[in-house]
Amino acid sequence: MTARIPATLIPGDGIGPEIVDGTLTVLDALGAPFDWDRQVAGLAGIQVAGDPLPPATIESIRRTRLALKGPLETPSGGGYRSSNVRLREEFKLYANLRPASTLIPGGRYDNIDLMVVRENLEGLYIGHEHYVPIDDDPHAVAMATGINTRAGCRRILEHAFEYAIAQGRKKVTIVHKANIMKALTGIFKETAEQMYERYRTRIAMDTVIVDACAMKLVLDPHQFDVLVTTNLFGDILSDLVAGLVGGLGMAPGANIGADAAIFEAVHGSAPDIAGQGRANPVALMLAAAMMLEHVRLAPLASRLRSAIGTTLNVDNVRTADLGGSASTEAFSRAVAARVRRG
Ligand code: NAD
């Protein structure tokens, strides 16, 4: 019998509870051995505990080191920091893995199978910004500081190389802007080239400047395999690759760190369709598949992915964003039925 695995479950805001319910339906059908500890965060955290990231939620993840999370809303005003950024910092979630694979053939490109590995804690994204006043203009000059450390570069690059080799991938592409930002992203490229000495017999590596990379991804995504890059470039490129395979409703993400791993859909809480039962739960289901792989239950992850593919393409059951008419619940029940049929 498979050992039970404690895991934190955060339904989140907006469509979060709907897609989480759908995902639990298919995980139950799979017999996934998670023991869920349900916690709140985001707007729900403020309503229940007066904090978008209540101490009980942090304690739960500290204990389980594993979480499945619906999207969280950060209220504008009120001085709240983003719960997602706080979670990254609290659990040192330094690697953001964003796969993009074709699930519905016949789109702009078929057979896409890309992985963007984004550094999640450093770079220009860290938000160290300020204004310099001149004369009567308090915002005359805007400044931002980016920080990339050698240790941070090593940590994410090692993760990317090891991940790529373990998954049987063929190539790791280092995405940078070292021609212009010679220090900030030069350190990333230079560290990759040094580290590659350790990996050169096991996998191919090349380097590409980020703007050229964006163009090449759109013209011919098949020339790439695993892309690894700094925080801001990763943020942008991972949405670009999501667009290559059908948009945000199909894009899962994993945040992996020294102290925990948190799995989520890339999209937000979709307040415009919340409560209507129309949300597409595929991204969160694919995040659950990544979570199963993380706890070394890869066969269950494969069954889940194949059930999603069959539901979409053979049964032709799809939610409205994919041109179908199925509700979140009906789609989830259809995937669960496919899981049970094997
Ligand atoms: P969004 O991703 O919530 O929505 C963008 C558009 O995509 C909307 O039209 C929405 O209806 C649609 N959409 C998104 N997911 C869908 C799904 N699963 N099925 C069908 N349609 C879907 O982006 P937004 O409106 O910019 O953000 C809303 C809130 O979510 C904001 O408060 C933002 O801060 C938050 N957010 C949270 C996360 C996270 O927790 N990881 C990520 C992004 C945004």
Side-chain angles (χ1 to χ4, degrees):
M1 210 181 87
T2 319
R4 305 296 298 172
I5 302 171
T8 304
L9 183 70
I10 302 173
D13 300 316
I15 59 170
E18 301 163 51
I19 58 175
V20 163
D21 276 356
T23 302
L24 291 182
T25 301
V26 299
L27 287 174
D28 284 350
L30 267 177
F34 296 117
D35 277 338
W36 298 110
D37 179 19
R38 236 173 223 269
Q39 296 290 340
V40 290
L43 287 186
I46 296 174
Q47 280 151 14
V48 173
D51 183 346
L53 194 55
T57 304
I58 295 178
E59 277 315 308
S60 172
I61 301 174
R62 191 160 290 137
R63 182 175 58 78
T64 62
R65 300 166 61 92
L66 187 67
L68 183 66
K69 180 180 94 50
L72 304 179
E73 258 178 64
T74 306
S76 40
Y80 294 112
R81 287 184 69 219
S82 154
S83 311
N84 292 315
V85 174
R86 280 174 67 194
L87 280 170
R88 281 180 211 163
E89 291 172 359
E90 182 73 36
F91 295 104
K92 303 186 188 65
L93 303 172
Y94 62 86
N96 183 211
L97 270 53
R98 298 261 198 105
S101 306
T102 306
L103 263 180
I104 302 181
R108 193 182 302 266
Y109 295 107
D110 279 337
N111 301 318
I112 289 187
D113 185 17
L114 291 167
M115 172 66 80
V116 175
V117 180
R118 163 188 174 190
E119 203 291 321
N120 223 10
L121 295 176
E122 302 195 330
L124 264 175
Y125 209 83
I126 52 177
H128 289 181
E129 295 194 300
H130 62 274
Y131 293 105
V132 180
I134 298 180
D135 299 331
D136 58 353
D137 183 355
H139 292 171
V141 179
M143 297 179 73
T145 311
I147 295 176
N148 282 325
T149 62
R150 179 80 73 196
C153 293
R154 277 205 198 102
R155 188 170 56 178
I156 189 69
L157 287 160
E158 181 170 296
H159 192 96
F161 280 123
E162 296 291 343
Y163 170 88
I165 291 165
Q167 297 282 316
R169 298 281 190 159
K170 301 281 177 283
K171 185 174 75 168
V172 173
T173 299
I174 313 299
V175 187
H176 64 91
K177 186 79 185 173
N179 52 328
I180 302 295
M181 299 158 89
K182 290 182 200 298
L184 190 67
T185 94
I187 191 176
F188 188 75
K189 176 170 178 275
E190 177 195 292
T191 307
E193 284 162 349
Q194 288 166 359
M195 285 177 67
Y196 186 57
E197 292 309 313
R198 261 166 56 200
Y199 295 104
R200 70 166 54 250
T201 56
R202 289 183 283 164
I203 195 158
M205 181 191 89
D206 61 6
T207 64
V208 63
I209 294 172
V210 62
D211 38 341
C213 181
M215 178 199 62
K216 289 177 178 197
L217 273 167
V218 173
L219 284 180
D220 176 16
H222 297 109
Q223 64 191 290
F224 295 108
D225 191 355
V226 174
L227 299 123
V228 55
T229 189
T230 46
N231 205 340
L232 180 61
F233 300 158
D235 183 46
I236 298 164
L237 290 183
S238 52
D239 272 29
L240 190 159
V241 299
L244 295 174
V245 296
L248 286 179
M250 315 292 275
N255 296 283
I256 312 280
D259 302 333
I262 301 182
F263 298 82
E264 63 183 349
V266 166
H267 62 72
S269 57
D272 52 338
I273 57 165
Q276 299 175 18
R278 288 167 52 197
N280 180 357
V282 166
L284 193 69
M285 288 180 184
L286 293 174
M290 295 177 83
M291 183 167 167
L292 287 165
E293 276 167 349
H294 181 78
V295 297
R296 301 201 159 76
L297 293 173
L300 290 188
S302 303
R303 276 178 61 201
L304 174 50
R305 288 200 186 96
S306 126
I308 294 169
T310 313
T311 305
L312 290 169
N313 298 310
V314 178
D315 304 335
N316 227 351
V317 178
R318 299 180 183 183
T319 46
D321 57 311
L322 300 176
S325 59
S327 66
T328 312
E329 199 188 331
F331 177 82
S332 306
R333 273 193 271 106
V335 177
R338 275 291 173 185
V339 162
R340 288 198 196 88
R341 280 160 69 180

